[in-house]
Amino acid sequence: MTHYHLAVLGGDGIGPEVTNEAVRVLQAIGARYGHTFATQTALVGQAAIDQEGTALSDATLALCAQSDAILFGAVGGATAQLTGGAKPEDAILGLRKALELFANLRPVTVMPALIDATAFKPERLHGVDLVVVRELTGGLYFGRPSEIRAEAEGTVAIDTMLYTEAEIERVVRFACTLARQRRRKVTSVDKANVLSCSRLWRQVAERVAQEFPDVALHHMLVDSCAMALIRQPADFDVIVTENMFGDILTDEASMLAGSLGLLPSASLGTRTTAHGRFGLYEPIHGSAPDIAGLGQANPLAAILSAALLLRHSLGLPDEATAIEAAVAATVAEGVRTPDIATPTSTVVTTHAMGDAVLARIADSLPSPR
Ligand code: IPM
Ligand code: MN
């Protein structure tokens, strides 16, 4: 029996509710396949600011660094904070930066049973299978200066978009390597007609692509990509882009799947553990304070993030596939949280959705080894 150590950070709002369902699913998989997942929980975000005075304490960061992988919920309050000082978002930004998790994988697939729950005509969604590789530790999120200050002409605000060649190189290389396991097509998304960072991005992407003669590289401007994602989403294979463009495009892309509550993510760097690549796994959605505690949140993005954790960080691809199959079977039977409900489906709570996935796992797998 192999022991794995997971740091579990539920965070704020719906974060703890959805993470709880993901942990239950992991424990069921562990029991079924003979693994133990030892989980250690810690506070992050507003919850940690309230209790510990900081969004991400040194102890929590150390706990994460020593784990095999991190399961993360969501952080953030009801309104974006306009003043300086500790922000709940510092927790996730601090983890990404401190742990050098520069590549954020956001796969987008369409479950056939959910096509009716989307805003799209069915034929448009046929064959959609893409993954966005979002650069996660550079760009506007981390460039300094970043502040609001008083100037002679009045109050001004400044953010800085900064990329080094090396930062662009490693994430583009990551995307090209990933494309080799897929349809060998990479779309690099930028705003090279306006931004210096994007012009460097394009140059470096071209250079890196020469190492991958078997991978086709295309460039697309971000505004045009936002449109193409709706018009011909099936044309995309791997999209690689800078931090903020990736943030925006993936919320958009979640509509192809049917809901923001469906998209998982894996944040990876170069560090490996005894089991695989070290990483942080989180749904792409936020803390949704408006529905926190109501049992309405969709836990599937968190559960699918746990599947990515098994695949990428623990080297357990069969177990990951078992979770994904259980999720697909659950929605195929019409079990839905409100965000993906249709007139004929059965609307259930967050916890009942977790139960439904657990039941499919119990049904579908062979007896324990
Ligand atoms: C995401 C979120 C975060 C981001 C926020 C909470 C800082 O929107 O993971 O997409 O912008 O990266
Ligand atoms: Mn986002």
Side-chain angles (χ1 to χ4, degrees), residues 240-253:
V240 62
T241 192
E242 69 88 42
N243 205 343
M244 172 148 279
F245 296 161
D247 180 44
I248 298 169
L249 291 176
T250 51
D251 267 31
E252 182 193 5

Side-chain angles (χ1 to χ4, degrees), residues 75-76 89 92-93 96 104 106 134 136 141 243 247 250-251 282-286:
V75 287
E89 289 80 5
I92 187 63
L93 300 179
R96 290 170 181 171
N104 181 221
R106 297 187 162 192
R134 171 188 174 192
L136 206 57
Y141 278 65
N243 205 343
D247 180 44
T250 51
D251 267 31
E282 58 171 327
I284 82 155
H285 64 68

Side-chain angles (χ1 to χ4, degrees), residues 150-340:
E151 295 273 326
E153 71 263 39
T155 305
V156 300
I158 180 164
D159 290 291
T160 304
M161 187 187 266
L162 184 148
Y163 270 106
T164 66
E165 244 180 305
E167 285 173 324
I168 301 168
E169 217 172 278
R170 65 183 180 181
V171 76
V172 173
R173 195 171 283 129
F174 192 103
C176 290
T177 305
L178 179 67
R180 279 192 166 152
Q181 297 153 33
R182 299 175 47 95
R183 305 197 309 278
R184 296 174 185 258
K185 185 173 167 185
V186 173
T187 307
S188 172
V189 175
D190 62 39
K191 187 72 184 172
N193 52 346
V194 178
L195 301 174
S196 301
C197 277
S198 288
R199 284 198 292 276
L200 179 64
W201 184 283
R202 214 174 254 226
Q203 270 173 30
V204 174
E206 278 294 324
R207 195 174 69 223
V208 171
Q210 286 171 13
E211 299 165 24
F212 298 84
D214 52 323
V215 171
L217 174 74
H218 304 268
H219 302 282
M220 201 178 255
L221 296 172
V222 63
D223 46 354
S224 168
C225 179
M227 178 199 64
L229 266 176
I230 303 300
R231 204 175 67 174
Q232 61 246 18
D235 284 2
F236 291 99
D237 180 15
V238 177
I239 294 176
V240 62
T241 192
E242 69 88 42
N243 205 343
M244 172 148 279
F245 296 161
D247 180 44
I248 298 169
L249 291 176
T250 51
D251 267 31
E252 182 193 5
S254 76
M255 288 294 96
L256 300 166
S259 165
L260 195 52
L262 291 169
L263 257 55
S265 86
S267 302
L268 305 168
T270 48
R271 207 184 111 202
T272 54
T273 69
H275 311 296
R277 212 187 260 255
F278 177 74
L280 179 150
Y281 299 82
E282 58 171 327
I284 82 155
H285 64 68
S287 60
D290 53 323
I291 58 163
L294 300 179
Q296 292 175 9
N298 187 341
L300 294 181
I303 291 170
L304 292 169
S305 297
L308 294 181
L309 183 157
L310 295 176
R311 181 174 294 121
H312 295 287
S313 285
L314 304 188
L316 301 173
D318 293 348
E319 289 81 341
T321 305
I323 293 179
E324 288 157 356
V327 166
T330 301
V331 299
E333 284 174 37
V335 181
R336 306 291 165 82
T337 42
D339 57 315
I340 48 173

Side-chain angles (χ1 to χ4, degrees), residues 55-129:
L56 176 68
S57 71
D58 292 344
T60 301
L61 181 57
L63 169 79
C64 290
Q66 284 152 24
S67 67
D68 293 317
I70 305 160
L71 193 62
F72 192 93
V75 287
T79 47
Q81 206 165 299
L82 296 179
T83 53
K87 296 195 299 307
E89 289 80 5
D90 295 342
I92 187 63
L93 300 179
L95 281 165
R96 290 170 181 171
K97 193 70 174 179
L99 301 171
E100 293 183 77
L101 303 171
F102 64 85
N104 181 221
L105 264 59
R106 297 187 162 192
V108 182
T109 51
V110 180
M111 289 187 259
L114 287 182
I115 288 179
D116 286 352
T118 72
F120 293 85
K121 296 194 187 92
E123 60 271 22
R124 193 141 298 194
L125 296 177
H126 185 75
V128 170
D129 177 12

